[in-house]
Amino acid sequence: MARHSLLLLASALSTAPPTTISAFSTAARSSIAFSPSRAISSSTTSLNGFFGNKGYAAPCVMGEESIMSPKAHGTSATPVQKDLRWDCDNATADKICNFNRHYAEHAGYWTTTSFVGDVKDEKGEITFYDSNSGKPLFVAPKGPGRDMEGFLKESSKHGWPSFRDEEVIWENVRCLGDGETVSVDGTHLGHNLPDGTGNRYCINLVCVAGRPEGEEKE
């Protein structure tokens, strides 16, 4: 069974309310509706039941579950920045980043923002910052044979921005045993869904649409 299907099934078996939307559902088109308190506490159990706790080969850096312990604002110390890049929706970003462990923006959401238009002609690399802290998390496209066209093509194929090992800033990113990918400050980012070519980090754009530390707009 494909990992996407397992994530969908795990969501269905969790204790979240019937109106919740699974991480890889295409049914949601504008927002995510779920119970924050239940999402944080129950999702880890359901996902671990399917994937188990495991490690991923270097350069992937594994993290402890304690990274995602409750803090002042869900799993993070602060809410998301008020003015996210690429016209990302603030309310959706705050739910997914801070009150959630396995839900996601709907497939293709990133293409409804200004992101593709803003970056498609870029010849260099784009830095993606934590929507909460403003710390750099990913730099893409980066790596052998990787260019913007290839990055956008792969991301379109899977429905979410997709990063490879070389594009992760491991100083600020960790991967948990069930594949959940998070920032060191407790921001939920997405999941590692390896394929035949290696680790692939399937990331919500709303979680990496922050502005650099100190450059947030008021």
Side-chain angles (χ1 to χ4, degrees), residues 7-86:
L7 276 172
L8 182 61
L9 184 56
S11 298
L13 293 177
S14 73
T15 58
T19 57
T20 56
I21 301 169
S22 79
F24 294 95
S25 170
T26 57
R29 286 293 179 262
S30 62
S31 64
I32 304 296
F34 60 92
S35 169
S37 60
R38 288 188 176 185
I40 293 174
S41 63
S42 67
S43 60
T44 301
T45 301
S46 59
L47 285 173
N48 282 350
F50 283 100
F51 300 145
N53 286 309
K54 55 178 174 291
Y56 296 93
C60 180
V61 179
M62 302 300 296
E64 298 294 330
E65 177 63 27
S66 59
I67 294 173
M68 301 300 285
S69 61
K71 302 178 184 67
H73 192 76
T75 57
S76 303
T78 61
V80 297
Q81 297 172 3
K82 294 181 179 179
D83 189 17
L84 297 173
R85 298 161 79 192
W86 306 306

Side-chain angles (χ1 to χ4, degrees), residues 9-213:
L9 184 56
S11 298
L13 293 177
S14 73
T15 58
T19 57
T20 56
I21 301 169
S22 79
F24 294 95
S25 170
T26 57
R29 286 293 179 262
S30 62
S31 64
I32 304 296
F34 60 92
S35 169
S37 60
R38 288 188 176 185
I40 293 174
S41 63
S42 67
S43 60
T44 301
T45 301
S46 59
L47 285 173
N48 282 350
F50 283 100
F51 300 145
N53 286 309
K54 55 178 174 291
Y56 296 93
C60 180
V61 179
M62 302 300 296
E64 298 294 330
E65 177 63 27
S66 59
I67 294 173
M68 301 300 285
S69 61
K71 302 178 184 67
H73 192 76
T75 57
S76 303
T78 61
V80 297
Q81 297 172 3
K82 294 181 179 179
D83 189 17
L84 297 173
R85 298 161 79 192
W86 306 306
D87 299 320
C88 286
D89 182 73
N90 185 274
T92 301
D94 201 49
K95 290 178 182 179
I96 295 175
C97 289
N98 301 317
F99 298 98
N100 160 63
R101 300 297 301 277
H102 66 295
Y103 292 89
E105 64 196 25
H106 67 76
Y109 169 83
W110 65 288
T111 65
T112 70
T113 69
S114 66
F115 176 75
V116 175
D118 289 350
V119 307
K120 62 183 177 67
D121 295 324
E122 287 285 340
K123 301 302 181 182
E125 301 169 347
I126 302 294
T127 301
F128 297 79
Y129 299 90
D130 191 320
S131 291
N132 287 315
S133 70
K135 291 181 180 179
L137 302 177
F138 300 92
V139 177
K142 189 176 183 180
R146 188 82 153 164
D147 57 17
M148 184 60 71
E149 182 181 1
F151 170 73
L152 293 175
K153 182 176 181 180
E154 180 176 47
S155 298
S156 296
K157 175 183 177 181
H158 296 289
W160 288 266
S162 296
F163 300 90
R164 296 294 175 170
D165 284 326
E166 297 86 353
E167 297 170 326
V168 185
I169 300 176
W170 289 110
E171 176 183 353
N172 299 323
V173 176
R174 296 290 183 270
C175 193
L176 304 187
D178 63 356
E180 183 182 8
T181 304
V182 303
S183 79
V184 294
D185 296 309
T187 306
H188 171 83
L189 304 176
H191 285 84
N192 179 15
L193 302 173
D195 58 19
T197 60
N199 292 322
R200 180 178 65 82
Y201 304 92
C202 188
I203 303 299
N204 297 287
L205 184 65
V206 296
C207 300
V208 293
R211 299 180 184 278
E213 292 177 281

